[in-house]
Amino acid sequence: MKSAFIQTFGCQMNDHDSRRMVHLLEEAGYQVGGEMDQASLVLLNTCSVRENPENKVYSMVGRLARIKKERPEMIIAVGGCVAQQEGEKILKRHKAVDLVFGPDQIFHLPRMIQEVQAGKRGVYTGWQERDRKLQNFIPDEELEAGTVEGGQGMVAITKGCDNHCSFCIVPKTRGTLVSRELDNILAECRDLIDKGAVEILLLGQNVNSYQAQGHGFIDLLQAVADLPGLKRLRFTSPHPNDWNAELTDLMARHPVICKSLHLPFQAGSDRILELMRRDHNQAQYLAKVAYLREQVAGLQLSTDVIVGYPGETEAEFEETLEVLKQAKFFLIYAFKYSPRPGTKAAQLEDDIPTEVKEARLERVLKLQAGIQDQILDAHLGTRQEVLIDAAHPKERGVMQGRTDANLRVALSAPDLEIGDLVPVTITGRREHSLLGDIT
Ligand code: SF4
Ligand code: F3S
């Protein structure tokens, strides 16, 4: 039997695309999973948001090229954001690669593989009708192919982004913003609930700029949250500019909308935020956080932070620390700035020395570790509802799940099943997660 191995890098949108590709490959007769070195087809679903994951892709291509020398029939495909950005260059530089395709082409995967099998190496990086702002970008025949994993179904509601944050490659790799019709989204959500999804995660690079047939993100959120049978609704990522008091109020009052929010702020200094073209300043951001904290009980926040943006002074960097202290995120994704080809910021001199970036990152991580510690400690003895989503990979009889606010909990309860929603008392903690007992 033909076997395929998919390695996914990057964000949840890439996870979602990989899940779709698993289905398409299975339909085409592939068994997906197993060992990469033995697979007939290896697909790298790539991310170009930073230099590091991109380099990892190329080192993996190198490793695969060596395996291909022994097994020339192996097909190597590179998909995702690096593929969209680099296109033809990948085929030219890496002779072992057979197929390069962008995120808008995933539904043509079986046909593209057939072309490779017929002896044609290929690059497919076109956009699907990007002139239209509204598009049902999951084809009708794929609408019911969504899968439920760990009790959760992922549903893409937008793709691309019309903001042009100076450091960000996403508008180049995912294109301009396209929203999907409300009814089409609801049909997919209903199908996932019928298949056992307790939780739905709405996805997009910029979810709250959703706009389709007169419906904004708030209408969509309300409509999905009201679907019978759904217990939890999450979404990622929203942009702070499009986050407003109405959304906070809806989150506060709707029991199905989870009390966790990823709200990227990137930098604390207003000058850097302006250079980044973020269109919000520190005060506006913190005011939104303050209102969220006031209204939404039990809310946990997460964010993205970049240190060492070109020209960032020590004092400006310290404003980033100040935002961390005030907002008290549970989780942060913090990175050293690295220029991405084709972005506005790449035209600026990357003038902050690596050691300075590293020292700043270390300070951010140290401060954050203390904040996360406090949040975890504050959970001891509390009662939480936990959605069981996996068996512990190493410990027998231990199941794992997440609280409403997206904190990880491990509990010793071998009889539980994935998808169970159980009341738990928090009895202890580990470095980044909680321990609990069913109560
Ligand atoms: Fe990138 Fe997000 Fe900015 Fe869009 S809003 S350009 S996805 S950082
Ligand atoms: Fe990376 Fe593309 Fe996602 S650049 S973060 S995989 S949208």
Side-chain angles (χ1 to χ4, degrees):
M1 190 178 193
K2 298 179 292 182
S3 61
F5 180 92
I6 303 183
Q7 178 72 48
T8 309
F9 300 85
C11 63
Q12 281 162 311
M13 197 57 130
N14 261 15
D15 285 339
H16 168 268
D17 288 353
S18 289
R19 285 195 197 181
R20 291 268 165 197
M21 290 193 276
V22 168
H23 176 256
L24 291 161
L25 289 171
E26 283 173 351
E27 294 273 288
Y30 281 87
Q31 190 174 11
V32 186
E35 297 275 313
M36 178 172 87
D37 294 7
Q38 307 302 324
S40 355
L41 164 72
V42 177
L43 198 162
L44 307 180
N45 192 9
T46 63
C47 170
S48 56
V49 77
R50 286 171 234 294
E51 224 167 357
N52 248 352
E54 197 174 317
N55 291 340
K56 267 193 209 154
V57 171
Y58 290 125
S59 80
M60 240 171 140
V61 168
R63 184 173 148 208
L64 290 167
R66 288 190 289 279
I67 299 170
K68 196 166 171 158
K69 278 204 179 119
E70 311 288 314
R71 291 199 301 115
E73 71 285 1
M74 172 193 251
I75 296 176
I76 303 176
V78 179
C81 291
V82 177
Q84 183 68 38
Q85 182 193 309
E86 298 293 304
E88 192 74 39
K89 281 193 226 155
I90 300 179
L91 272 204
K92 283 206 178 117
R93 277 194 215 139
H94 302 274
K95 300 288 176 228
V97 174
D98 303 286
L99 172 65
V100 176
F101 63 99
D104 255 20
Q105 299 291 327
I106 58 172
F107 292 106
H108 303 305
L109 188 57
R111 187 174 52 73
M112 295 186 289
I113 293 171
Q114 276 172 12
E115 297 277 325
V116 173
Q117 283 163 337
K120 250 177 80 186
R121 293 170 84 213
V123 177
Y124 304 84
T125 48
W127 297 115
Q128 275 175 324
E129 305 177 69
R130 282 287 166 158
D131 50 323
R132 290 203 288 138
K133 285 277 167 213
L134 176 72
Q135 190 190 83
N136 287 334
F137 46 79
I138 308 289
D140 285 348
E141 62 280 14
E142 289 294 320
L143 201 59
E144 294 183 0
T147 50
V148 179
E149 283 179 27
Q152 185 195 66
M154 290 179 169
V155 177
I157 63 163
T158 63
K159 58 177 181 178
C161 180
D162 283 345
N163 292 341
H164 290 277
C165 303
S166 64
F167 54 83
C168 182
I169 193 79
V170 166
K172 286 226 155 36
T173 58
R174 296 277 171 166
T176 51
L177 179 83
V178 176
S179 298
R180 193 174 157 194
E181 274 177 36
L182 184 68
D183 288 346
N184 191 262
I185 294 171
L186 292 175
E188 189 178 357
C189 292
R190 278 192 207 99
D191 176 62
L192 288 165
I193 296 168
D194 288 348
K195 286 176 182 155
V198 188
E199 177 175 299
I200 281 180
L201 173 65
L202 302 177
L203 286 174
Q205 273 82 34
N206 197 352
V207 279
N208 51 345
S209 39
Y210 176 87
Q211 193 56 249
Q213 304 155 300
H215 303 294
F217 183 60
I218 195 159
D219 308 318
L220 169 68
L221 210 53
Q222 174 91 54
V224 179
D226 286 345
L227 286 175
L230 188 64
K231 299 280 194 307
R232 286 182 173 188
L233 176 58
R234 301 185 190 280
F235 51 88
T236 200
S237 283
H239 193 293
N241 287 355
D242 301 318
W243 189 265
N244 54 34
E246 290 72 32
L247 283 165
T248 296
D249 295 344
L250 177 62
M251 185 181 234
R253 74 172 177 266
H254 206 303
V256 169
I257 301 175
C258 289
K259 310 307 179 235
S260 84
L261 185 67
H262 183 74
L263 206 56
F265 83 91
Q266 311 293 1
S269 140
D270 287 351
R271 190 186 74 91
I272 298 292
L273 285 171
E274 202 178 327
L275 285 175
M276 287 178 163
R277 306 212 264 182
R278 291 291 291 173
D279 282 342
H280 62 79
N281 60 30
Q282 187 198 108
Q284 288 162 335
Y285 182 88
L286 288 174
K288 289 183 187 187
V289 168
Y291 187 66
L292 275 156
R293 290 263 181 239
E294 206 179 288
Q295 300 299 319
V296 187
L299 175 76
Q300 296 300 337
L301 292 167
S302 57
T303 200
D304 297 332
V305 175
I306 297 174
V307 298
Y309 187 82
E312 184 187 61
T313 65
E314 201 57 26
E316 286 168 340
F317 162 68
E318 282 176 8
E319 293 198 57
T320 295
L321 298 179
E322 201 42 50
V323 174
L324 292 178
K325 283 183 204 155
Q326 289 194 37
K328 296 207 186 316
F329 304 99
F330 174 68
L331 195 66
I332 65 166
Y333 299 90
F335 298 95
K336 290 173 282 181
Y337 170 76
S338 64
R340 306 285 57 224
T343 59
K344 263 265 174 244
Q347 296 167 9
L348 303 172
E349 192 195 342
D350 183 16
D351 59 351
I352 309 296
T354 310
E355 18 348 320
V356 175
K357 286 183 190 166
E358 276 164 6
R360 288 182 186 172
L361 183 62
E362 218 178 285
R363 284 175 72 189
V364 162
L365 296 178
K366 194 166 168 222
L367 171 64
Q368 177 57 28
I371 295 170
Q372 195 186 66
D373 269 348
Q374 285 172 10
I375 296 175
L376 288 170
D377 286 345
H379 277 76
L380 298 178
T382 62
R383 295 197 73 197
Q384 304 287 331
E385 194 171 54
V386 174
L387 172 63
I388 302 299
D389 59 10
H392 196 285
K394 294 195 190 121
E395 297 167 37
R396 274 189 66 192
V398 175
M399 299 299 280
Q400 302 186 130
R402 281 169 296 118
T403 66
D404 185 290
N406 222 9
L407 268 54
R408 283 234 140 260
V409 183
L411 54 154
S412 180
D415 297 340
L416 288 180
E417 292 194 2
I418 290 170
D420 284 352
L421 206 53
V422 287
V424 167
T425 298
I426 304 302
T427 53
R429 54 162 291 199
R430 291 189 170 150
E431 197 179 353
H432 302 293
S433 60
L434 297 166
L435 300 170
D437 282 334
I438 296 194
T439 41

